[in-house]
Amino acid sequence: DKSMANMAMVLPLIFDLHSDSIRPRHWKQLAGVCNVNTVDPSESKFTLQDMLRLNLDRHKDKIEEIVEAAMKELKIEKKLAEIETFWTAMELTYSPHKNTEMHVPQPSEELLETMEAHQMELQSIYGMGKFMEYFKNRVVEWQNVLRTVDDTLKMWTAVSRDWISLESIFLASADIRSQLPEDTKRFEGIDSEFKELMKDAISEVNCVNVCSVE
C-alpha cells in the first residue's frame, strides 16, 4: 500500500542521512528543505518518529543532493586535514657546510614531492565548485602557504649555492682578495649577514614557519 511504498523510499534516505559525512550545516539545509525550524539528531529526545514526520519522501531529490554534497565535502575535509597535519609536523633539514658550524637548507625529497602533490590536490579541490565553497578560505590559505614555501625554498637554495661559490672565490684565495679588494669587502658584508640569517633560521625547525618569516 501507499504507506509501505513511502516507507520503502524514506528508510534509504534516513540511512543516507545517518552517514558520517553529515555535519550540522547539512541538518540545517535539511530543515530548510523540509520547511521546519530545526533538525537536530544530537538531541536526546530525537527519535525515528521525528524523522518520519519530516515527510522525507516529498523531498527525495533535494535530500539526495544534500547527501551527495556531504560525501564530497567529507573528502575535501579529510584531504585538508591531511595537508594541515603534514605541514604542521614537517621539518626543514639542513646540511653542514664543509667542516664548519654553518648550515644550509637541504629540503628532503619527501618535502619537495609532497609539496608538489599537495599543490596539485589543492588546485583540484578549488575546481570542485559548490562542493569547495564551505572550505574556500582554508583552501586559498593553504595554496598561499605552499606557494610561499615553494618560492622561499627555491630562492633560499639558489642563494645558498651562490654563497658557497662566492665563498670559495673570495675567502679561500688570497690572490683574488688582493686583486679585488672592493668586491672582497662587499662579499664579507654579505657573508656576515647571510651567516647571521642562517643562524637564526636553523633555530626554527618547522618548514612552514621558517619559510614564512618576513
Side-chain angles (χ1 to χ4, degrees), residues 1 27 43 45 48 54 56 88 109 135 144 146 162 168 171 178-179 184 189 191 196-197 201 211:
D1 68 2
W27 292 117
E43 284 187 359
K45 294 180 180 178
L48 177 60
L54 294 173
L56 299 178
T88 298
E109 283 298 314
F135 305 98
N144 291 336
L146 295 189
D162 290 344
S168 65
L171 301 187
S178 62
Q179 290 170 22
T184 298
D191 177 64
E196 198 62 38
L197 285 170
C211 288

Side-chain angles (χ1 to χ4, degrees), residues 59-74:
H59 313 286
K60 182 175 180 292
D61 291 345
K62 289 186 177 180
I63 292 169
E64 287 176 345
E65 286 179 14
I66 291 172
V67 171
E68 180 194 7
M71 292 175 71
K72 290 186 176 179
E73 287 170 9
L74 180 61

Side-chain angles (χ1 to χ4, degrees), residues 51 60 95-96 141:
M51 288 295 285
K60 182 175 180 292
S95 60
E141 180 186 357

Side-chain angles (χ1 to χ4, degrees), residues 11-161:
L11 288 179
L13 292 174
I14 292 175
F15 179 80
D16 289 344
L17 288 166
H18 191 62
S19 166
D20 290 340
S21 63
I22 303 295
R23 299 287 183 263
R25 65 182 180 275
H26 301 121
W27 292 117
K28 189 173 181 180
Q29 290 168 15
L30 179 66
V33 165
C34 297
N35 298 311
V36 296
N37 289 331
T38 182
V39 179
D40 187 2
S42 64
E43 284 187 359
S44 58
K45 294 180 180 178
F46 193 87
T47 66
L48 177 60
Q49 279 301 120
D50 293 315
M51 288 295 285
L52 295 175
R53 276 195 287 269
L54 294 173
N55 297 314
L56 299 178
D57 54 297
R58 299 179 186 174
H59 313 286
K60 182 175 180 292
D61 291 345
K62 289 186 177 180
I63 292 169
E64 287 176 345
E65 286 179 14
I66 291 172
V67 171
E68 180 194 7
M71 292 175 71
K72 290 186 176 179
E73 287 170 9
L74 180 61
K75 290 180 181 178
I76 295 174
E77 185 180 304
K78 286 182 175 179
K79 178 52 67 177
L80 286 175
E82 178 189 314
I83 291 171
E84 289 167 353
T85 298
F86 180 87
W87 291 102
T88 298
M90 190 66 207
E91 296 183 356
L92 177 61
T93 51
Y94 300 87
S95 60
H97 175 57
K98 298 179 179 177
N99 295 317
T100 68
E101 294 182 359
M102 181 68 176
H103 288 72
V104 291
Q106 189 175 42
S108 66
E109 283 298 314
E110 180 192 15
L111 188 157
L112 296 175
E113 288 174 4
T114 306
M115 177 167 59
E116 184 178 354
H118 283 171
Q119 285 177 311
M120 291 176 66
E121 286 165 347
L122 286 166
Q123 189 60 39
S124 177
I125 290 171
Y126 193 84
M128 290 178 70
K130 63 180 182 179
F131 303 115
M132 179 278 302
E133 201 60 39
Y134 180 79
F135 305 98
K136 185 175 181 178
N137 289 343
R138 283 169 68 191
V139 172
V140 170
E141 180 186 357
W142 275 105
Q143 284 182 313
N144 291 336
V145 166
L146 295 189
R147 192 178 299 115
T148 297
V149 170
D150 193 9
D151 291 345
T152 301
L153 288 179
K154 284 176 181 173
M155 186 183 300
W156 199 354
T157 51
V159 168
S160 297
R161 282 195 300 268

